[in-house]
Amino acid sequence: MGKRKGVMARQAPKDFAKVKQKVGKKKKAPTNETNVDFRAKQVNILAQTALHEKGEEVTHRKLGLVELLAHMQHHSARVRRDALVGLKELCSAHDGVVAKNLARIVEATTAMAIDLHAEVRTAFRSFQTWLLQTTFQTALM
């Protein structure tokens, strides 16, 4: 009995078999090629609503009351100090801010009295004395 050569030739090709190139033909793309093409699309924003939400009551650095109160918990001492200075600027420039948000302001700034950094405590004392003078003056009128 002879061996059957036709059955062996019809089996599936082995993995990673090299494809032989024909002379004069273009190179065939490998079967395991990854397509790395991508497309980017542009997003058009007509207006930034975050700028309108702050309102007219902002500091010279364009920070509102909410941002300044959030900066009171910042890890950097300089940011906390700047928040107190900005809060004093905001409250002195806009009269109604202290009257409307006195409880929030006092609650956010009380932790600054025992801050580890002296510059923050100094800014707190300056802000607190200004705040007490302002509230007493408005209460007496």
Side-chain angles (χ1 to χ4, degrees), residues 41-47:
K41 292 193 176 188
Q42 186 176 11
V43 177
N44 292 329
I45 300 174
L46 299 176

Side-chain angles (χ1 to χ4, degrees), residues 73-86:
Q73 284 95 29
H74 198 272
H75 62 87
S76 174
R78 182 169 285 163
V79 173
R80 291 193 303 267
R81 184 204 58 200
D82 290 344
L84 285 166
V85 172

Side-chain angles (χ1 to χ4, degrees), residues 68-106:
L68 291 171
L69 294 179
H71 285 183
M72 298 291 174
Q73 284 95 29
H74 198 272
H75 62 87
S76 174
R78 182 169 285 163
V79 173
R80 291 193 303 267
R81 184 204 58 200
D82 290 344
L84 285 166
V85 172
L87 192 59
K88 183 176 176 181
E89 175 192 341
L90 179 72
C91 292
S92 62
H94 305 283
D95 297 330
V97 175
V98 177
K100 291 183 213 172
N101 304 299
L102 183 62
R104 289 174 58 190
I105 291 170
V106 170

Side-chain angles (χ1 to χ4, degrees), residues 33-40:
E33 181 182 40
T34 303
N35 186 8
V36 294
D37 295 336
F38 64 92
R39 290 186 180 150

Side-chain angles (χ1 to χ4, degrees), residues 31-140:
T31 58
N32 61 351
E33 181 182 40
T34 303
N35 186 8
V36 294
D37 295 336
F38 64 92
R39 290 186 180 150
K41 292 193 176 188
Q42 186 176 11
V43 177
N44 292 329
I45 300 174
L46 299 176
Q48 290 186 349
T49 57
L51 294 176
H52 300 293
E53 290 174 0
K54 289 183 182 180
E56 296 177 10
E57 300 169 344
V58 292
T59 63
H60 75 281
R61 294 174 48 209
K62 306 288 188 244
L63 294 174
L65 180 69
V66 176
E67 290 89 2
L68 291 171
L69 294 179
H71 285 183
M72 298 291 174
Q73 284 95 29
H74 198 272
H75 62 87
S76 174
R78 182 169 285 163
V79 173
R80 291 193 303 267
R81 184 204 58 200
D82 290 344
L84 285 166
V85 172
L87 192 59
K88 183 176 176 181
E89 175 192 341
L90 179 72
C91 292
S92 62
H94 305 283
D95 297 330
V97 175
V98 177
K100 291 183 213 172
N101 304 299
L102 183 62
R104 289 174 58 190
I105 291 170
V106 170
E107 182 182 351
T109 57
T110 51
M112 301 296 120
I114 56 170
D115 197 89
L116 296 174
H117 299 280
E119 60 184 8
V120 177
R121 291 191 306 268
T122 305
F124 169 74
R125 281 193 300 272
S126 171
F127 173 74
Q128 200 71 10
T129 55
W130 175 85
L131 184 66
L132 290 173
Q133 288 173 355
T134 305
T135 52
F136 283 134
Q137 286 175 356
T138 56
L140 292 175

